[in-house]
Amino acid sequence: MMSLHMPLTRTQQLIGLSGWLALCFVTAGVGAVASANAKSFYSALVQPAWAPPGWLFGPVWTTLFVLMAIAAWLVWRAPAAPTLRRWALGLFVVQLVANALWSWLFFAWQQGAWAFAEVIVLWVLIALTCTAFWRIRPLAGALLLPYLAWVGFAAYLNWVLWRANPGILG
């Protein structure tokens, strides 16, 4: 492992950024597999008037995954204490797993209650990750704020959809 006191070369930084982007988009891909029928499933649900159109989710999630990768990269390359960085990046990876799991619970397995419980756990994990990132590099924490807000909104939408569609999201 490279010494934390030696600056990373430009190539090492680009490889690191590519790695974090790849990890985030693998997570997105795992969620996308579960969401293969999301368009028809989502449009078949009884929805509140304020629910976003289905086409909006792709661009929003793409933007959020890019911001998440940049935030993780900033923490990864920060000259913070190794233990603190490992903890923060470990939280980041755990929340990625939770992120992918939600798509399976909601879209593939159509478990509204479990998806709601899980998205609350996801929101807490994101908040903890955001706090840990902020301690290391405030910009990295700030880059996670749109993600935290979107998942908070998604949690409320999950709740409303689950309650309005008990026959589908039992």
Side-chain angles (χ1 to χ4, degrees):
M1 188 172 185
M2 166 184 336
S3 168
L4 296 176
H5 300 292
M6 293 177 55
L8 296 170
T9 67
R10 186 175 188 83
T11 300
Q12 289 169 324
Q13 289 187 37
L14 289 174
I15 290 169
L17 178 58
S18 298
W20 289 108
L21 284 165
L23 181 61
C24 287
F25 281 100
V26 164
T27 302
V30 169
V33 169
S35 307
N37 297 319
K39 183 177 180 180
S40 61
F41 175 71
Y42 183 72
S43 64
L45 296 173
V46 174
Q47 298 182 26
W50 50 265
W55 62 263
L56 183 64
F57 291 94
V60 168
W61 277 111
T62 299
T63 302
L64 293 175
F65 277 115
V66 169
L67 292 175
M68 290 160 48
I70 294 169
W73 175 69
L74 289 171
V75 168
W76 171 77
R77 55 178 241 158
T83 304
L84 181 58
R85 279 191 332 174
R86 270 194 299 275
W87 167 250
L89 293 171
L91 272 172
F92 181 80
V93 170
V94 169
Q95 69 79 28
L96 284 178
V97 171
N99 181 304
L101 177 59
W102 182 87
S103 296
W104 285 90
L105 288 167
F106 190 84
F107 292 112
W109 302 325
Q110 299 177 2
Q111 296 295 312
W114 284 108
F116 177 70
E118 197 274 349
V119 78
I120 297 302
V121 171
L122 173 59
W123 189 91
V124 170
L125 288 168
I126 297 166
L128 291 171
T129 304
C130 185
T131 301
F133 276 23
W134 197 285
R135 287 181 180 161
I136 296 167
R137 181 97 193 259
L139 176 58
L143 289 173
L144 294 183
L145 292 175
Y147 178 39
L148 184 67
W150 181 259
V151 170
F153 171 75
Y156 182 60
L157 180 59
N158 183 148
W159 169 265
V160 170
L161 292 174
W162 167 44
R163 304 311 298 161
N165 298 276
I168 299 172
L169 290 170

